[in-house]
Amino acid sequence: MKTDFKFSNLCGTVYRKGNLVFTPDGNSIISPVGNRVTVFDLVNNKTETLPFENKRDIRRLALAPSGNLLLSVDELGQVVLVNFRRRTVLHYFNLKDKVRDIQFSPDGRYFVVGLGRSIQVWRSPGFTREFAPFELHRTFAGHYDDITHISWSPDSRFFLTSSKDMTAKIYSVDPIEGFRATTLNGHRAPVVGAWFAKDMGAIYTVSSDGAVCVRRFRPH
C-alpha cells in the first residue's frame, strides 16, 4: 500500500556510542543515535534525525571541513556517504574492518581511516565521467596495537596516528624526499591523541595516564 507519509524525526532516543562532530559554524552537534544520525541545533534548541540509516550501530562520524560531506561508519565498517546540506545519500561502500577513527583532511580532498592497526588514505579523484566520490590512495603498515586517534596537519600533507601500543606515528600523504614515517616513543601508557600545533612547529601527544609530550617538528 502506498502512502504519502515519510520519515520526519526520531524521538526518545539517547546517545550511546560513537563520536560527536561539530558543524563548521559551531552551531550544531552531529551525533550517532544507534544506527541513525541526529543533528542538535544548539542555537535554536531543535533536533533533526537524518533520513538514512546504517545497517548496524554507528561507530564513527566524519564531516568535511566545508560541511558538505558526511561519512557515517557502522560497527562492521560499512560507510554511508551523505550530502549533509541536502540530507541525501550519495554512495555506499564497505571498509571490511572495524574502524577505529576516520578524519577528513583540512582541504577536504582526502580522508584517512584507522582499521584496527592499519591505515588507509582515500582521495577524491576530481571530475570523472563515472561517479566515484573517493578512491583508495595509499595503505600504510600501522601499529602493534589498535589505533585510538587520527589528526591532520593544517596543510593536509601529514597526519598523526595514536595507538594503544604507547606510540604515535607521523605519515605523509604523498612520498616526500628525505621523509620517512616516524614513530614517536616515550609514553608508558596507551596514546589517546596526537596533534600538530597550528604553525606545525610542534607535535603534542597525550597518553591515558595524563602524560603530555611536546616535540619539535620540521616539515619538509
Side-chain angles (χ1 to χ4, degrees):
M1 182 177 68
K2 187 176 180 180
T3 71
D4 293 328
F5 293 99
K6 64 180 181 179
F7 177 78
S8 176
N9 205 349
L10 184 64
C11 304
T13 57
V14 294
Y15 169 81
R16 296 184 61 185
K17 61 176 68 175
N19 61 314
L20 304 176
V21 178
F22 276 93
T23 53
D25 59 12
N27 292 334
S28 299
I29 292 176
I30 307 170
S31 169
V33 181
N35 68 336
R36 305 195 77 113
V37 176
T38 296
V39 182
F40 296 87
D41 187 331
L42 304 177
V43 176
N44 299 304
N45 195 27
K46 295 180 179 180
T47 65
E48 175 193 3
T49 300
L50 303 187
F52 72 89
E53 61 183 27
N54 287 74
K55 292 183 178 180
R56 298 288 293 273
D57 285 352
I58 295 169
R59 187 180 184 94
R60 302 296 297 181
L61 296 173
L63 183 66
S66 63
N68 288 329
L69 298 178
L70 175 71
L71 294 170
S72 175
V73 190
D74 69 20
E75 295 175 329
L76 299 178
Q78 295 179 334
V79 185
V80 182
L81 175 64
V82 179
N83 183 319
F84 180 67
R85 298 191 188 279
R86 295 188 178 183
R87 307 313 201 233
T88 57
V89 174
L90 299 176
H91 192 56
Y92 295 90
F93 58 102
N94 195 340
L95 294 171
K96 300 179 181 180
D97 202 347
K98 290 185 177 180
V99 173
R100 305 299 175 180
D101 198 8
I102 185 168
Q103 298 290 338
F104 275 100
S105 61
D107 63 10
R109 294 179 57 207
Y110 302 90
F111 70 84
V112 61
V113 56
L115 299 169
R117 304 176 184 183
S118 65
I119 302 107
Q120 292 181 352
V121 178
W122 293 69
R123 70 178 178 183
S124 173
F127 176 79
T128 61
R129 291 186 178 182
E130 296 183 2
F131 178 73
F134 287 95
E135 61 187 13
L136 183 61
H137 178 55
R138 295 182 70 187
T139 299
F140 297 87
H143 294 263
Y144 295 105
D145 207 337
D146 288 340
I147 291 168
T148 58
H149 181 260
I150 295 171
S151 65
W152 282 87
S153 63
D155 64 1
S156 298
R157 296 171 62 207
F158 303 91
F159 61 90
L160 293 166
T161 60
S162 307
S163 172
K164 292 180 180 179
D165 66 8
M166 299 184 288
T167 69
K169 291 180 180 288
I170 313 170
Y171 296 92
S172 62
V173 175
D174 294 303
I176 298 175
E177 185 176 355
F179 177 84
R180 292 183 179 181
T182 303
T183 300
L184 306 178
N185 297 301
H187 285 282
R188 299 182 179 180
V191 181
V192 296
W195 298 269
F196 288 94
K198 288 185 177 181
D199 62 1
M200 293 183 57
I203 291 174
Y204 303 88
T205 59
V206 181
S207 58
S208 60
D209 60 357
V212 179
C213 292
V214 182
R215 299 173 174 85
R216 292 183 179 179
F217 179 66
R218 295 181 179 178
H220 291 260

